[in-house]
Amino acid sequence: MNGRKVSEAVVRRLPRYYRRLELLKRKGVERISSSELAQQMNLNPSQVRQDLNCFGGFGQQGYGYHVSTLFDEIANILGLTQQYKLVIVGAGNIGQALVQYEGFRQQGFMVVALFDVNEKIVGSEIAGLPVLHVDELKQFIEENNVDIGIIAARRSAAQDIADTMADAGIRGIWNFVPTDVTADVPLENVHLSDSMLVLSYRLNEQGEK
Amino acid sequence: MNGRKVSEAVVRRLPRYYRRLELLKRKGVERISSSELAQQMNLNPSQVRQDLNCFGGFGQQGYGYHVSTLFDEIANILGLTQQYKLVIVGAGNIGQALVQYEGFRQQGFMVVALFDVNEKIVGSEIAGLPVLHVDELKQFIEENNVDIGIIAARRSAAQDIADTMADAGIRGIWNFVPTDVTADVPLENVHLSDSMLVLSYRLNEQGEK
């Protein structure tokens, strides 16, 4: 990457390219034209070319893209050639679901501990990982060089947890609590219900109910 | 709505407008200019005006948008003035987390039953809702006019479940299994890890690791 600022919209599309290319690779597809890739992804071809140009342009006139090269490049751009240490704060359903989420581990995201305030589960193990008390969060992040903190706690605690994580020197925060938290480190607020709202729009668009 | 086809990108931004306006409304903000709204949402003002024009244009030159009117209009466009009956297939962590997800109920999404194949939980209740066997799924959807089916089962079962739901006349499907399923009804594949990949991109963008 050449340090140029890449637009938010392009960055948001990168995971989609990554998933599509992974699928093509798995199917044994060796190369693909920008128009074919665009069609499969419901984008237009010039957008695909423009997006991929932002990262150096891996296509070749008349040949298209070499699938596994492009896949590797995008994995690299997404930082998936590294390993990340994760902690999850909140060992409820969402926290537990994320521990077991398929695919994270193979992409290099390793959960190393969970944190909670509930004395009934603090001290136990979930999926082979220790459940520690939130009071230990700061020290644990510092001592273990944790990269990413996932917030899956109750709403009222979310901002405090983000503050503790940032204070402890975490590199990024992934927030699953349906309230926007802020921090001075890269942060993604996940809005599960956004896609439900899109679905509900589509039902309406279809007409009668 | 005037039946015009609205672009995918605009539809995807609607939930963000909805959330932002809800926040403004809660804060007691009465009106907002397109440039202020754009700035808060990290969009450009002409895009905001263009987006909202797709739905009839609720702004007024020199005044901006009336927050609660615009909020109501967008809620209406998103179909949130209706009630939807939902079933969840897969009563594991994700399924249970979704049952308890704050905000769904107040937006009109009512889960009426869960389904699973695990005999240990079939027949029990989760959050006051019955857990039924997947074999009963088709009949239940038909008899109860279920609107939306959520798939939170294991990967290998996802497509079969989608087929059963579509056969039974469900109106839309929300798939949480990390594999793209297809159906002849509106369908949203949720890719939880996309936002994790964006986060990992941001960590990388910041430089050193």
Side-chain angles (χ1 to χ4, degrees), chain A residues 6 8 11 15 19 76-79 82-84 86 93-94 97 100-102 104 107 109 147 155 171 173-174 178 186 188 190-204 209, chain B residues 6 8 11 15 19 76-80 82-83 86 93-94 97 100-102 104 107 147 155 171 173-174 178 186 188 190-204 209:
Chain A
V6 176
E8 176 73 14
V11 172
R19 279 192 276 112
N76 187 36
I77 288 163
L78 286 171
Q82 303 171 22
Q83 293 257 328
Y84 299 93
L86 277 61
N93 286 312
I94 294 256
Q100 284 151 38
Y101 198 67
E102 298 175 52
F104 275 173
Q107 286 169 0
F109 300 103
D147 298 291
R155 195 190 281 242
R171 296 176 62 213
I173 295 175
W174 205 33
E188 279 284 306
V190 177
H191 294 282
L192 285 185
S193 58
D194 278 13
S195 94
M196 176 59 104
L197 299 190
V198 170
L199 183 59
S200 132
Y201 170 83
R202 300 256 180 251
L203 299 196
N204 234 35
K209 143 121 192 171
Chain B
V6 176
E8 176 74 13
V11 172
R19 277 192 276 113
N76 187 37
I77 288 164
L78 286 172
L80 300 180
Q82 303 172 19
Q83 293 258 327
L86 277 61
N93 286 313
I94 294 256
Q100 284 151 37
Y101 198 68
E102 298 175 53
F104 274 173
Q107 285 169 1
D147 298 292
R155 196 189 281 244
R171 297 176 61 211
I173 295 175
W174 207 32
E188 279 284 307
V190 177
H191 294 282
L192 285 186
S193 59
D194 278 13
S195 94
M196 176 59 104
L197 299 189
V198 169
L199 183 59
S200 136
Y201 171 84
R202 301 254 178 252
L203 299 196
N204 233 37
K209 144 118 193 176

XYZ file of all heavy atoms in Angstrom, chain A residues 6 8 11 15 19 76-79 82-84 86 93-94 97 100-102 104 107 109 147 155 171 173-174 178 186 188 190-204 209, chain B residues 6 8 11 15 19 76-80 82-83 86 93-94 97 100-102 104 107 147 155 171 173-174 178 186 188 190-204 209:
773
model
N -7.649 5.543 1.434
C -8.649 4.776 0.703
C -10.022 5.108 1.276
O -10.181 5.201 2.485
C -8.348 3.271 0.837
C -9.419 2.446 0.174
C -6.982 2.967 0.237
N -13.812 5.118 2.644
C -14.591 4.242 3.512
C -15.379 3.191 2.712
O -15.402 2.014 3.058
C -15.554 5.128 4.321
C -16.528 4.425 5.224
C -15.884 3.847 6.468
O -14.725 4.205 6.771
O -16.538 3.020 7.132
N -13.119 0.444 1.467
C -12.709 -0.414 2.576
C -13.839 -1.381 2.960
O -13.618 -2.564 3.180
C -12.282 0.432 3.801
C -12.038 -0.444 5.021
C -11.037 1.248 3.475
N -13.963 -6.766 2.360
C -14.332 -8.097 2.847
C -15.198 -8.870 1.858
O -15.115 -10.093 1.779
C -15.112 -7.809 4.136
C -14.612 -6.487 4.594
C -14.345 -5.715 3.329
N -14.326 -12.508 0.425
C -15.203 -13.691 0.491
C -15.468 -14.279 -0.878
O -15.487 -15.491 -1.066
C -16.533 -13.308 1.138
C -16.487 -13.266 2.638
C -17.883 -13.182 3.217
N -18.421 -11.846 3.285
C -19.436 -11.394 2.557
N -20.039 -12.188 1.666
N -19.855 -10.165 2.702
N -3.704 -9.808 2.417
C -2.577 -9.030 2.925
C -3.010 -7.601 3.289
O -2.702 -7.089 4.363
C -1.471 -9.015 1.865
C -0.200 -8.374 2.396
O 0.127 -8.531 3.572
N 0.478 -7.631 1.540
N -3.766 -6.984 2.385
C -4.277 -5.627 2.625
C -5.150 -5.601 3.878
O -5.107 -4.663 4.673
C -5.081 -5.138 1.395
C -4.126 -4.827 0.243
C -5.930 -3.915 1.747
C -4.813 -4.732 -1.104
N -5.941 -6.648 4.051
C -6.833 -6.724 5.212
C -6.071 -7.082 6.490
O -6.666 -7.147 7.564
C -7.953 -7.734 4.968
C -9.059 -7.295 4.001
C -9.989 -8.464 3.683
C -9.872 -6.140 4.593
N -4.792 -7.330 6.366
C -4.008 -7.662 7.556
C -4.208 -9.086 8.033
O -3.983 -9.398 9.200
N -1.381 -11.742 9.499
C -0.889 -11.663 10.873
C -1.805 -12.449 11.799
O -2.884 -12.848 11.429
C -0.888 -10.201 11.341
C -0.087 -9.289 10.467
C -0.308 -7.833 10.853
O -0.714 -7.542 11.967
N -0.052 -6.938 9.929
N -1.325 -12.623 13.030
C -2.161 -13.203 14.072
C -2.574 -12.075 15.019
O -1.779 -11.184 15.303
C -1.353 -14.219 14.880
C -0.949 -15.444 14.090
C -1.834 -16.632 14.432
O -2.296 -16.759 15.564
N -2.082 -17.476 13.460
N -3.798 -12.141 15.482
C -4.291 -11.152 16.440
C -4.756 -11.865 17.700
O -5.433 -12.885 17.628
C -5.460 -10.370 15.843
C -5.096 -9.605 14.597
C -5.273 -10.174 13.347
C -4.545 -8.331 14.680
C -4.923 -9.480 12.193
C -4.201 -7.632 13.534
C -4.387 -8.215 12.293
O -4.032 -7.528 11.164
N -7.216 -11.702 20.856
C -8.490 -11.062 21.176
C -8.930 -11.396 22.593
O -8.691 -12.505 23.076
C -9.589 -11.576 20.237
C -9.763 -10.976 18.855
C -8.510 -11.180 18.007
C -10.957 -11.610 18.136
N -24.565 -14.797 25.654
C -24.796 -15.520 24.394
C -23.942 -15.008 23.243
O -23.361 -15.791 22.500
C -26.267 -15.419 24.001
C -27.144 -16.295 24.877
O -26.844 -17.454 25.096
N -28.215 -15.717 25.398
N -23.893 -13.689 23.085
C -23.109 -13.135 21.967
C -21.632 -13.474 22.162
O -20.971 -13.949 21.239
C -23.274 -11.600 21.870
C -24.719 -11.235 21.503
C -22.283 -11.009 20.885
C -24.933 -10.804 20.079
N -21.105 -17.067 21.439
C -21.247 -17.345 20.000
C -19.980 -16.933 19.259
O -19.510 -17.639 18.363
C -22.461 -16.606 19.435
N -17.036 -19.228 19.447
C -17.170 -20.426 18.622
C -17.380 -20.130 17.141
O -17.596 -21.038 16.343
C -18.343 -21.265 19.163
C -17.949 -21.999 20.437
C -19.120 -22.237 21.360
O -20.216 -22.525 20.907
N -18.883 -22.116 22.653
N -17.304 -18.849 16.791
C -17.603 -18.480 15.410
C -16.591 -19.103 14.447
O -15.383 -18.901 14.571
C -17.585 -16.962 15.263
C -18.289 -16.454 14.026
C -19.661 -16.595 13.880
C -17.574 -15.850 13.003
C -20.306 -16.133 12.757
C -18.223 -15.379 11.859
C -19.589 -15.529 11.754
O -20.223 -15.075 10.624
N -17.095 -19.852 13.501
C -16.225 -20.527 12.535
C -15.477 -19.499 11.697
O -16.019 -18.486 11.316
C -17.064 -21.374 11.570
C -17.858 -22.482 12.220
C -18.747 -23.186 11.179
O -18.220 -23.597 10.134
O -19.966 -23.295 11.430
N -12.953 -17.471 12.312
C -12.075 -16.490 12.955
C -10.660 -17.024 13.121
O -9.683 -16.361 12.796
C -12.606 -16.107 14.331
C -13.612 -15.019 14.271
C -14.317 -14.641 15.398
C -13.852 -14.340 13.091
C -15.248 -13.632 15.353
C -14.782 -13.320 13.037
C -15.480 -12.975 14.168
N -8.562 -17.238 10.128
C -8.164 -15.931 9.607
C -7.144 -15.243 10.523
O -6.734 -14.117 10.267
C -9.397 -15.028 9.422
C -10.235 -15.421 8.214
C -11.578 -14.713 8.180
O -11.905 -13.921 9.046
N -12.368 -15.005 7.160
N -7.542 -14.740 13.968
C -8.099 -14.083 15.158
C -8.236 -15.103 16.294
O -9.079 -15.980 16.239
C -9.460 -13.454 14.848
C -9.406 -12.416 13.763
C -9.836 -12.716 12.474
C -8.910 -11.153 14.011
C -9.770 -11.763 11.456
C -8.837 -10.194 13.012
C -9.268 -10.496 11.736
N -4.436 -7.511 21.065
C -4.614 -6.605 19.929
C -6.020 -6.024 19.844
O -6.204 -4.844 19.566
C -4.333 -7.359 18.614
C -2.911 -7.867 18.546
O -2.006 -7.029 18.440
O -2.699 -9.099 18.624
N -25.434 -2.871 27.802
C -25.351 -1.558 27.176
C -24.691 -0.506 28.060
O -23.815 0.240 27.627
C -26.772 -1.098 26.800
C -26.840 0.048 25.838
C -28.270 0.557 25.733
N -29.092 -0.286 24.873
C -29.665 0.160 23.748
N -29.498 1.403 23.358
N -30.418 -0.638 23.026
N -5.267 -2.263 20.468
C -5.086 -1.653 19.141
C -6.402 -1.391 18.418
O -6.478 -0.522 17.556
C -4.205 -2.540 18.274
C -2.789 -2.670 18.838
C -1.978 -3.643 18.009
N -1.828 -3.181 16.633
C -1.763 -3.976 15.568
N -1.863 -5.289 15.720
N -1.611 -3.483 14.369
N -11.054 -2.043 18.671
C -12.229 -2.472 19.442
C -13.358 -2.851 18.490
O -13.626 -2.152 17.507
C -12.702 -1.341 20.393
C -11.615 -1.056 21.449
C -14.032 -1.696 21.057
C -11.937 0.119 22.371
N -13.996 -3.979 18.793
C -15.128 -4.450 18.010
C -16.329 -4.453 18.952
O -16.408 -5.281 19.853
C -14.826 -5.864 17.510
C -15.532 -6.293 16.273
C -15.888 -5.520 15.218
C -15.929 -7.640 15.936
N -16.484 -6.296 14.238
C -16.518 -7.591 14.655
C -15.821 -8.877 16.590
C -17.014 -8.730 14.009
C -16.311 -9.999 15.946
C -16.895 -9.930 14.672
N -25.545 -2.742 21.074
C -26.267 -1.868 20.144
C -26.318 -0.415 20.608
O -27.376 0.170 20.747
C -27.657 -2.484 20.053
C -27.826 -3.273 21.292
C -26.457 -3.688 21.745
N -8.877 2.474 16.494
C -9.837 2.010 15.494
C -10.945 1.207 16.167
O -10.675 0.394 17.051
C -8.985 1.125 14.578
C -7.616 1.694 14.678
C -7.482 2.145 16.109
N -14.981 -0.576 15.527
C -16.114 -0.922 14.680
C -17.328 -1.170 15.558
O -17.297 -2.047 16.437
C -15.818 -2.211 13.896
C -14.979 -2.038 12.661
C -15.783 -1.443 11.505
O -16.841 -1.988 11.156
O -15.329 -0.425 10.967
N -20.782 -2.741 15.570
C -21.553 -3.691 14.771
C -23.036 -3.443 15.007
O -23.472 -3.398 16.159
C -21.219 -5.146 15.149
C -22.073 -6.121 14.370
C -19.740 -5.418 14.917
N -23.771 -3.242 13.949
C -25.211 -3.029 14.092
C -25.946 -4.188 13.459
O -26.300 -4.158 12.285
C -25.613 -1.703 13.466
C -25.032 -0.535 14.185
N -25.554 -0.070 15.366
C -23.939 0.213 13.946
C -24.828 0.934 15.814
N -23.834 1.132 14.967
N -26.152 -5.221 14.263
C -26.822 -6.419 13.779
C -28.135 -6.096 13.106
O -28.486 -6.682 12.087
C -27.126 -7.361 14.942
C -25.964 -8.150 15.518
C -26.481 -9.108 16.555
C -25.248 -8.903 14.407
N -28.848 -5.149 13.672
C -30.208 -4.977 13.176
C -30.262 -4.222 11.855
O -31.286 -4.244 11.184
C -31.098 -4.320 14.225
O -30.560 -3.083 14.592
N -29.153 -3.606 11.431
C -29.188 -2.915 10.135
C -29.628 -3.844 9.005
O -30.416 -3.461 8.149
C -27.806 -2.334 9.781
C -27.565 -0.988 10.467
O -28.331 -0.650 11.381
O -26.606 -0.292 10.079
N -29.117 -5.054 9.025
C -29.461 -5.924 7.903
C -30.894 -6.436 8.045
O -31.562 -6.738 7.061
C -28.429 -7.040 7.721
O -28.804 -8.198 8.382
N -31.387 -6.503 9.282
C -32.804 -6.820 9.475
C -33.685 -5.704 8.903
O -34.723 -5.963 8.294
C -33.091 -7.012 10.969
C -34.549 -7.253 11.295
S -35.216 -8.723 10.469
C -35.232 -9.855 11.867
N -33.245 -4.464 9.061
C -34.027 -3.346 8.526
C -34.018 -3.367 6.988
O -35.028 -3.064 6.357
C -33.492 -2.008 9.053
C -33.524 -1.813 10.566
C -33.194 -0.371 10.931
C -34.874 -2.191 11.161
N -32.890 -3.745 6.411
C -32.836 -3.868 4.949
C -33.805 -4.951 4.489
O -34.542 -4.789 3.514
C -31.400 -4.178 4.466
C -31.386 -4.550 2.993
C -30.482 -2.987 4.720
N -33.840 -6.044 5.236
C -34.761 -7.131 4.901
C -36.204 -6.652 4.981
O -37.027 -6.913 4.091
C -34.534 -8.313 5.847
C -35.359 -9.570 5.595
C -35.117 -10.127 4.195
C -35.045 -10.634 6.640
N -36.496 -5.926 6.023
C -37.861 -5.440 6.197
C -38.221 -4.459 5.075
O -39.344 -4.456 4.551
C -38.001 -4.869 7.604
O -38.607 -3.633 7.631
N -37.251 -3.655 4.644
C -37.464 -2.788 3.474
C -37.834 -3.618 2.241
O -38.774 -3.316 1.521
C -36.210 -1.955 3.181
C -36.269 -1.214 1.869
C -36.925 0.010 1.760
C -35.702 -1.762 0.727
C -37.007 0.668 0.552
C -35.773 -1.097 -0.502
C -36.430 0.112 -0.577
O -36.524 0.768 -1.774
N -37.099 -4.693 2.046
C -37.334 -5.543 0.866
C -38.732 -6.175 0.880
O -39.372 -6.321 -0.138
C -36.308 -6.661 0.780
C -34.885 -6.193 0.678
C -34.353 -6.336 -0.738
N -32.987 -5.880 -0.794
C -32.603 -4.745 -1.396
N -33.481 -3.984 -2.029
N -31.348 -4.391 -1.389
N -39.172 -6.566 2.068
C -40.501 -7.169 2.180
C -41.562 -6.155 1.779
O -42.534 -6.481 1.114
C -40.798 -7.632 3.612
C -39.894 -8.682 4.233
C -40.557 -9.272 5.453
C -39.556 -9.771 3.252
N -41.322 -4.932 2.209
C -42.251 -3.855 1.920
C -42.272 -3.493 0.453
O -43.309 -3.221 -0.126
C -41.812 -2.635 2.708
C -42.926 -2.092 3.536
O -43.730 -2.889 4.034
N -43.015 -0.802 3.653
N -48.955 -6.504 2.275
C -48.871 -7.384 3.461
C -50.262 -7.480 4.028
O -50.889 -6.461 4.284
C -47.902 -6.805 4.486
C -48.306 -7.001 5.931
C -47.294 -7.754 6.728
C -47.889 -8.164 8.069
N -47.101 -9.068 8.838
N -34.783 1.700 -6.179
C -33.793 2.401 -5.371
C -32.521 1.555 -5.339
O -32.584 0.339 -5.204
C -34.345 2.622 -3.948
C -33.295 3.252 -3.061
C -35.599 3.469 -4.003
N -29.116 -0.366 -4.400
C -28.662 -1.168 -3.265
C -27.913 -0.306 -2.235
O -28.144 -0.412 -1.040
C -27.732 -2.265 -3.817
C -27.075 -3.154 -2.791
C -28.021 -4.147 -2.162
O -29.146 -4.335 -2.679
O -27.651 -4.719 -1.116
N -30.286 1.798 -0.215
C -31.034 0.955 0.725
C -30.174 0.606 1.935
O -30.621 0.668 3.076
C -31.534 -0.329 0.024
C -32.143 -1.295 1.024
C -32.550 0.028 -1.058
N -30.763 2.210 7.080
C -30.708 1.940 8.520
C -29.804 2.920 9.268
O -30.062 3.242 10.426
C -30.145 0.515 8.594
C -30.522 -0.104 7.284
C -30.412 1.022 6.284
N -30.977 5.162 12.374
C -30.328 5.184 13.687
C -29.912 6.597 14.093
O -30.060 7.003 15.237
C -29.088 4.283 13.681
C -29.415 2.823 13.912
C -28.140 2.050 14.196
N -27.422 1.637 13.022
C -26.237 2.079 12.633
N -25.606 2.980 13.364
N -25.674 1.620 11.541
N -41.214 4.377 8.056
C -42.276 3.902 7.176
C -41.697 3.204 5.945
O -42.125 2.109 5.559
C -43.153 5.093 6.780
C -44.381 4.658 6.013
O -44.955 3.609 6.316
N -44.756 5.430 5.007
N -40.713 3.836 5.338
C -40.050 3.252 4.166
C -39.433 1.902 4.508
O -39.472 0.955 3.730
C -38.960 4.221 3.637
C -39.622 5.423 2.969
C -38.009 3.522 2.674
C -38.684 6.606 2.772
N -38.854 1.812 5.703
C -38.225 0.561 6.137
C -39.257 -0.488 6.560
O -38.897 -1.606 6.908
C -37.253 0.829 7.295
C -35.931 1.507 6.926
C -35.161 1.897 8.183
C -35.075 0.586 6.059
N -40.508 -0.110 6.544
C -41.548 -1.076 6.903
C -41.667 -1.281 8.400
O -42.147 -2.310 8.859
N -41.224 -0.309 9.176
C -41.216 -0.488 10.630
C -42.511 -0.042 11.296
O -42.613 -0.025 12.518
C -40.029 0.255 11.252
C -38.670 -0.220 10.747
C -37.557 0.549 11.410
C -38.491 -1.710 10.978
N -45.104 -1.750 10.684
C -45.835 -3.013 10.737
C -45.254 -3.898 11.828
O -44.192 -3.629 12.357
C -45.687 -3.753 9.404
C -46.157 -2.968 8.218
C -45.800 -3.666 6.916
O -45.530 -4.862 6.898
N -45.774 -2.918 5.832
N -45.962 -4.980 12.098
C -45.446 -6.014 12.987
C -45.043 -7.215 12.143
O -45.727 -7.539 11.166
C -46.549 -6.465 13.949
C -46.979 -5.414 14.926
C -46.389 -5.640 16.302
O -46.180 -6.777 16.725
N -46.111 -4.565 17.013
N -41.592 -13.662 13.631
C -40.319 -14.300 13.301
C -40.205 -15.681 13.939
O -40.713 -15.896 15.051
C -39.159 -13.464 13.855
C -38.643 -12.261 13.081
C -39.721 -11.209 12.909
C -37.435 -11.654 13.785
N -26.166 -20.444 20.706
C -25.822 -19.125 21.237
C -26.354 -17.973 20.395
O -26.898 -17.008 20.916
C -24.300 -18.990 21.352
C -23.762 -19.796 22.515
O -24.299 -19.737 23.612
N -22.733 -20.573 22.266
N -26.163 -18.081 19.077
C -26.623 -16.987 18.215
C -28.147 -16.874 18.290
O -28.699 -15.785 18.472
C -26.202 -17.220 16.742
C -24.682 -17.162 16.602
C -26.896 -16.219 15.822
C -24.133 -15.903 15.987
N -29.093 -15.370 21.560
C -28.725 -13.957 21.621
C -29.745 -13.123 20.845
O -30.144 -12.043 21.287
C -27.326 -13.748 21.045
N -32.991 -12.390 22.552
C -32.896 -11.377 23.602
C -32.375 -10.032 23.109
O -32.159 -9.119 23.884
C -31.994 -11.913 24.719
C -32.728 -12.944 25.567
C -31.788 -13.969 26.169
O -30.683 -13.652 26.563
N -32.245 -15.209 26.241
N -32.174 -9.928 21.800
C -31.576 -8.715 21.255
C -32.482 -7.513 21.506
O -33.642 -7.488 21.088
C -31.318 -8.888 19.761
C -30.334 -7.885 19.196
C -28.994 -7.928 19.560
C -30.736 -6.909 18.301
C -28.081 -7.021 19.041
C -29.829 -5.989 17.779
C -28.498 -6.059 18.161
O -27.607 -5.167 17.654
N -31.922 -6.516 22.187
C -32.700 -5.320 22.521
C -33.111 -4.588 21.245
O -32.355 -4.489 20.308
C -31.853 -4.345 23.346
C -31.385 -4.881 24.670
C -30.452 -3.869 25.344
O -30.854 -2.701 25.478
O -29.343 -4.270 25.724
N -35.353 -5.179 18.888
C -36.167 -5.850 17.882
C -37.655 -5.679 18.140
O -38.431 -5.335 17.272
C -35.856 -7.341 17.842
C -34.697 -7.661 16.965
C -34.174 -8.940 16.922
C -34.135 -6.696 16.152
C -33.109 -9.232 16.102
C -33.071 -6.986 15.326
C -32.558 -8.260 15.305
N -39.128 -2.419 17.462
C -39.213 -2.107 16.040
C -40.263 -2.968 15.334
O -40.421 -2.887 14.121
C -37.845 -2.303 15.375
C -36.862 -1.182 15.711
C -35.446 -1.496 15.287
O -35.163 -2.544 14.723
N -34.546 -0.577 15.542
N -43.660 -14.254 9.080
C -43.137 -13.366 8.050
C -41.664 -13.619 7.730
O -41.262 -13.618 6.574
C -43.274 -11.899 8.511
C -44.721 -11.502 8.724
O -45.452 -11.420 7.731
O -45.129 -11.314 9.895
N -23.824 -24.982 9.671
C -23.589 -24.622 8.290
C -24.240 -25.590 7.284
O -24.892 -25.175 6.335
C -22.073 -24.589 8.049
C -21.654 -23.876 6.795
C -20.184 -24.097 6.534
N -19.314 -23.259 7.356
C -18.498 -22.315 6.861
N -18.441 -22.109 5.560
N -17.740 -21.612 7.655
N -41.919 -14.832 4.053
C -41.738 -13.643 3.212
C -40.289 -13.199 3.088
O -39.915 -12.551 2.111
C -42.573 -12.486 3.765
C -44.076 -12.788 3.729
C -44.855 -11.665 4.369
N -44.664 -10.413 3.665
C -44.691 -9.209 4.244
N -44.880 -9.107 5.554
N -44.505 -8.111 3.542
N -35.929 -14.045 4.642
C -35.004 -14.891 5.410
C -33.796 -14.069 5.842
O -33.229 -13.308 5.058
C -34.546 -16.109 4.566
C -35.743 -17.022 4.271
C -33.431 -16.883 5.280
C -35.424 -18.189 3.344
N -33.391 -14.241 7.087
C -32.213 -13.579 7.650
C -31.241 -14.673 8.044
O -31.458 -15.390 9.013
C -32.656 -12.783 8.886
C -31.813 -11.603 9.224
C -31.137 -10.787 8.371
C -31.588 -11.068 10.534
N -30.507 -9.789 9.074
C -30.766 -9.930 10.391
C -32.006 -11.437 11.813
C -30.335 -9.163 11.469
C -31.592 -10.674 12.886
C -30.762 -9.539 12.717
N -22.440 -18.523 8.475
C -21.437 -17.910 7.605
C -21.242 -18.648 6.282
O -20.148 -19.059 5.944
C -20.163 -17.930 8.458
C -20.365 -19.017 9.446
C -21.835 -19.150 9.660
N -36.916 -12.483 -0.515
C -35.870 -11.573 -0.041
C -35.046 -12.241 1.061
O -35.611 -12.901 1.952
C -36.663 -10.382 0.502
C -37.912 -10.368 -0.287
C -38.249 -11.825 -0.515
N -31.293 -11.901 3.445
C -30.094 -11.201 3.870
C -29.122 -12.188 4.496
O -29.449 -12.867 5.476
C -30.440 -10.139 4.934
C -30.983 -8.854 4.393
C -29.899 -7.970 3.784
O -28.896 -7.695 4.457
O -30.073 -7.567 2.618
N -26.026 -12.442 6.672
C -25.281 -11.595 7.599
C -23.844 -12.113 7.687
O -23.631 -13.303 7.917
C -25.912 -11.630 9.007
C -25.087 -10.809 9.987
C -27.337 -11.121 8.949
N -22.905 -11.237 7.458
C -21.502 -11.658 7.543
C -20.846 -10.927 8.696
O -20.265 -9.864 8.527
C -20.788 -11.376 6.226
C -21.317 -12.205 5.107
N -20.972 -13.524 4.941
C -22.203 -11.933 4.136
C -21.598 -14.017 3.897
N -22.362 -13.070 3.390
N -20.980 -11.531 9.873
C -20.427 -10.930 11.082
C -18.972 -10.555 10.911
O -18.529 -9.516 11.371
C -20.508 -11.926 12.241
C -21.865 -12.154 12.875
C -21.729 -13.053 14.075
C -22.464 -10.804 13.281
N -18.232 -11.416 10.222
C -16.791 -11.184 10.224
C -16.371 -10.057 9.287
O -15.247 -9.572 9.377
C -16.027 -12.467 9.926
O -16.410 -12.982 8.691
N -17.263 -9.590 8.408
C -16.886 -8.468 7.534
C -16.389 -7.266 8.331
O -15.399 -6.639 7.969
C -18.067 -8.025 6.654
C -18.224 -8.901 5.425
O -17.598 -9.980 5.383
O -18.974 -8.521 4.508
N -17.081 -6.978 9.415
C -16.665 -5.772 10.134
C -15.386 -6.036 10.921
O -14.599 -5.123 11.179
C -17.801 -5.213 10.993
O -17.748 -5.662 12.294
N -15.147 -7.308 11.279
C -13.863 -7.651 11.895
C -12.727 -7.437 10.884
O -11.641 -6.963 11.238
C -13.898 -9.106 12.368
C -12.592 -9.600 12.928
S -12.021 -8.623 14.347
C -12.422 -9.743 15.693
N -12.992 -7.766 9.620
C -11.960 -7.583 8.592
C -11.680 -6.097 8.358
O -10.536 -5.700 8.148
C -12.365 -8.262 7.283
C -12.585 -9.781 7.347
C -12.761 -10.359 5.954
C -11.448 -10.491 8.055
N -12.717 -5.284 8.425
C -12.520 -3.836 8.293
C -11.663 -3.334 9.459
O -10.743 -2.534 9.276
C -13.872 -3.093 8.249
C -13.677 -1.580 8.376
C -14.617 -3.414 6.955
N -11.940 -3.846 10.643
C -11.154 -3.453 11.810
C -9.695 -3.854 11.624
O -8.776 -3.066 11.885
C -11.737 -4.109 13.069
C -11.074 -3.744 14.392
C -11.133 -2.252 14.659
C -11.727 -4.511 15.541
N -9.492 -5.054 11.145
C -8.124 -5.531 10.963
C -7.407 -4.691 9.894
O -6.222 -4.363 10.024
C -8.175 -7.031 10.651
O -7.336 -7.396 9.625
N -8.133 -4.288 8.851
C -7.574 -3.357 7.865
C -7.118 -2.060 8.543
O -6.025 -1.565 8.288
C -8.612 -3.053 6.779
C -8.191 -1.924 5.850
C -7.359 -2.159 4.766
C -8.611 -0.621 6.086
C -6.953 -1.128 3.932
C -8.210 0.419 5.265
C -7.383 0.155 4.187
O -6.979 1.183 3.384
N -7.956 -1.541 9.416
C -7.644 -0.268 10.081
C -6.398 -0.389 10.968
O -5.605 0.531 11.062
C -8.808 0.192 10.963
C -10.092 0.400 10.238
C -10.396 1.877 10.064
N -11.628 2.053 9.317
C -11.689 2.491 8.066
N -10.592 2.833 7.404
N -12.846 2.605 7.447
N -6.256 -1.529 11.637
C -5.079 -1.728 12.491
C -3.823 -1.695 11.637
O -2.796 -1.146 12.018
C -5.137 -3.072 13.217
C -6.288 -3.322 14.170
C -5.980 -4.487 15.070
C -6.607 -2.097 15.003
N -3.937 -2.312 10.481
C -2.822 -2.397 9.561
C -2.452 -1.048 8.977
O -1.292 -0.717 8.809
C -3.208 -3.330 8.424
C -2.182 -4.401 8.260
O -1.633 -4.873 9.247
N -1.899 -4.759 7.031
N 3.152 -3.305 13.379
C 2.754 -4.322 14.383
C 3.973 -5.180 14.599
O 4.502 -5.706 13.637
C 1.592 -5.161 13.873
C 1.616 -6.625 14.284
C 0.449 -7.027 15.124
C 0.724 -8.415 15.752
N -0.272 -8.877 16.649
